[in-house]
Amino acid sequence: MLLGVVILVVMAFTTPWRVMPPGTPTVPPDAARDFSAGEIARAAAFDAATSVPGYLSLGLTVLFAGLLVLTPFGAKVLGRLRGPWWVRVVLGVMVLSAIVEAVRWPLGVWFEVVLRDYGLSTQDWAGWTGDRLKGLAVGVVLQSVMVLVVVALARKVRRWWIPAAVGAFALTLLGSFVYPVVFEPLFNDFRPMPQGALRVNLMTLAERAHVPVEDVLIADASRRTNALNAYVSGFGATRRIVVYDTLLRAPQSEVELVVAHELGHAKYGDVLVGTLVGGLGAAFGVILLFLLLGLVRRRTGIVSAGDPRAVGVIMGLMSLATIIAGPAQNLISRHIEARADLHALNLTKDPGTYLSMQKRLAITNISDLSPDPVEYALYASHPSAPERIAMIREWAALNGQPQP
């Protein structure tokens, strides 16, 4: 309970619940003002086409997690495994992950076909399969480490949830530092941006934002997608600006504004704060896991958390916790993204170009221009394009500039 209160307090005081100053003129979001009827219809059609496999995938994930948490299915499957306990734990994670992936694979193919139909995906099936298998492998490695720690401590320590919670917090922090260096290169090749005006301008933006950056890299995203994006990755000596090669097709001024937004995340320490909150959440999750295991232990046919057959229950509870926490994480993320938009506007003072950039991103990425409340809560980590454009006009009015 104490840790839960700490998490709520940290989130309450670190989340920018109100981005614009009091008294800012309100501009209501209006997709029809900035997007044609054809663009709005295309976005709605794309959303409808992706919603079905998306909801089915979510439903299957919940169903399988419930099967692991409320029935002895996991214990029966994993009871067939042989070998030392730690081998059975790793094999258990692999087996259950493979079952989930096999069930969801056709839905992934369905989703990929939709992306290709709308011109977003540029992958062939070999590339798509390779990326999906690499993602599965990364997930298995990370989950195996977490579950191994829990089972090992439960076998040795009576109050295992205490060191496990500390370990979960530490592993989350370590993962944030390691991921950009170890895991990002598995999915993209990176090359330094050549010397030129764009590189100089991006480094200058970073200096003006007081964000130390070691390098500017280009990711070969075009081999996978036509979507546009950029981000600031890493901490300290590993911090770098990463630009999708697809984004380089946009005007240079728009590329600079996308990066200005991402520099806002670095300036306000959004990744670091998010990592700390994530670490606290992971520790809270371990304690919750301890409490819930006591309630479902008999129902699932396991002896204790130290039982290698408990892998299924642990994975099921982790999966459900991730889904349940999603809407709250998205709510906080949307406010953080709005603050990064405000940072970009304050840094560049160019609302007209920023509006053009938001339109380009929305049209190219086929963003949902009018998400329904359920999808908005479940999936939207960013404000909708009309909301972001409305804020641009509010900023212009507040700063005495003509509304773009």
Side-chain angles (χ1 to χ4, degrees):
M1 290 176 63
L2 178 61
L3 185 55
V5 170
V6 170
I7 293 172
L8 291 175
V9 170
V10 171
M11 290 192 300
F13 283 95
T14 59
T15 302
W17 300 109
R18 185 182 181 92
V19 174
M20 300 299 289
T24 302
T26 301
V27 177
D30 183 6
R33 180 175 177 180
D34 298 287
F35 299 93
S36 69
E39 291 165 346
I40 294 173
R42 184 169 185 259
F46 178 73
D47 175 65
T50 55
S51 289
V52 178
Y55 278 126
L56 286 175
S57 180
L58 176 63
L60 285 175
T61 301
V62 172
L63 182 63
F64 191 73
L67 192 66
L68 294 175
V69 171
L70 299 176
T71 74
F73 172 79
K76 289 181 179 179
V77 171
L78 302 183
R80 300 170 181 268
L81 302 177
R82 296 293 180 265
W85 70 267
W86 59 271
V87 172
R88 284 183 284 159
V89 167
V90 175
L91 288 176
V93 174
M94 294 175 63
V95 168
L96 294 178
S97 298
I99 292 173
V100 174
E101 187 63 27
V103 172
R104 295 174 55 185
W105 192 277
L107 297 175
V109 172
W110 183 354
F111 198 91
E112 173 66 12
V113 169
V114 174
L115 294 182
R116 294 183 184 191
D117 289 343
Y118 280 83
L120 277 179
S121 176
T122 60
Q123 282 188 300
D124 57 23
W125 286 111
W128 178 84
T129 301
D131 278 351
R132 196 162 177 105
L133 291 177
K134 282 188 285 188
L136 176 63
V138 169
V140 167
V141 170
L142 296 178
Q143 282 198 313
S144 294
V145 171
M146 291 185 288
V147 177
L148 272 172
V149 170
V150 168
V151 175
L153 288 172
R155 294 171 70 88
K156 298 291 185 181
V157 183
R158 181 169 174 268
R159 296 179 177 175
W160 58 267
W161 53 272
I162 299 176
V166 175
F169 179 83
L171 283 174
T172 302
L173 266 62
L174 178 64
S176 287
F177 283 91
V178 170
Y179 192 89
V181 179
V182 177
F183 294 108
E184 283 183 4
L186 294 176
F187 298 94
N188 286 103
D189 291 329
F190 299 90
R191 57 184 173 89
M193 180 176 286
Q195 294 294 334
L198 180 57
R199 181 185 177 91
V200 170
N201 289 350
L202 295 183
M203 294 299 287
T204 301
L205 271 178
E207 291 178 8
R208 287 170 51 198
H210 305 292
V211 177
V213 170
E214 293 298 317
D215 203 356
V216 181
L217 304 180
I218 299 175
D220 63 337
S222 59
R223 69 183 179 85
R224 180 182 297 110
T225 181
N226 284 317
L228 312 178
N229 201 7
Y231 58 94
V232 175
S233 175
F235 300 93
T238 67
R239 180 179 285 159
R240 61 269 182 95
I241 298 170
V242 180
V243 179
Y244 278 20
D245 56 357
T246 52
L247 183 60
L248 298 178
R249 303 167 187 168
Q252 180 173 313
S253 58
E254 295 186 16
V255 177
E256 293 171 9
L257 280 162
V258 173
V259 172
H261 168 96
E262 299 302 328
L263 289 170
H265 290 307
K267 178 179 179 178
Y268 291 106
D270 292 338
V271 175
L272 180 59
V273 172
T275 299
L276 292 174
V277 173
L280 292 172
F284 180 82
V286 168
I287 299 171
L288 195 61
L289 173 68
F290 165 73
L291 296 174
L292 293 176
L293 274 175
L295 298 176
V296 302
R297 179 173 58 82
R298 292 183 179 178
R299 182 186 294 271
T300 55
I302 64 171
V303 177
S304 68
D307 185 348
R309 297 177 304 160
V311 169
V313 186
I314 296 172
M315 290 179 63
L317 289 172
M318 288 169 55
S319 182
L320 291 175
T322 300
I323 294 170
I324 293 171
Q329 291 173 337
N330 287 333
L331 174 64
I332 293 171
S333 176
R334 289 194 293 270
H335 285 85
I336 290 173
E337 293 296 336
R339 181 175 63 185
D341 281 341
L342 180 62
H343 173 269
L345 289 166
N346 288 333
L347 185 64
T348 63
K349 295 180 172 53
D350 189 358
T353 304
Y354 202 59
L355 190 150
S356 298
M357 179 270 291
Q358 290 293 346
K359 289 179 62 176
R360 182 185 300 275
L361 289 177
I363 294 170
T364 304
N365 298 346
I366 321 181
S367 302
D368 193 353
L369 300 177
S370 54
D372 67 65
V374 174
E375 289 187 358
Y376 196 63
L378 287 175
Y379 304 122
S381 60
H382 291 60
S384 67
E387 288 176 315
R388 301 177 83 171
I389 290 173
M391 196 189 84
I392 294 170
R393 293 195 169 105
E394 291 174 352
W395 182 92
L398 182 67
N399 288 272
Q401 294 196 26
Q403 283 197 10

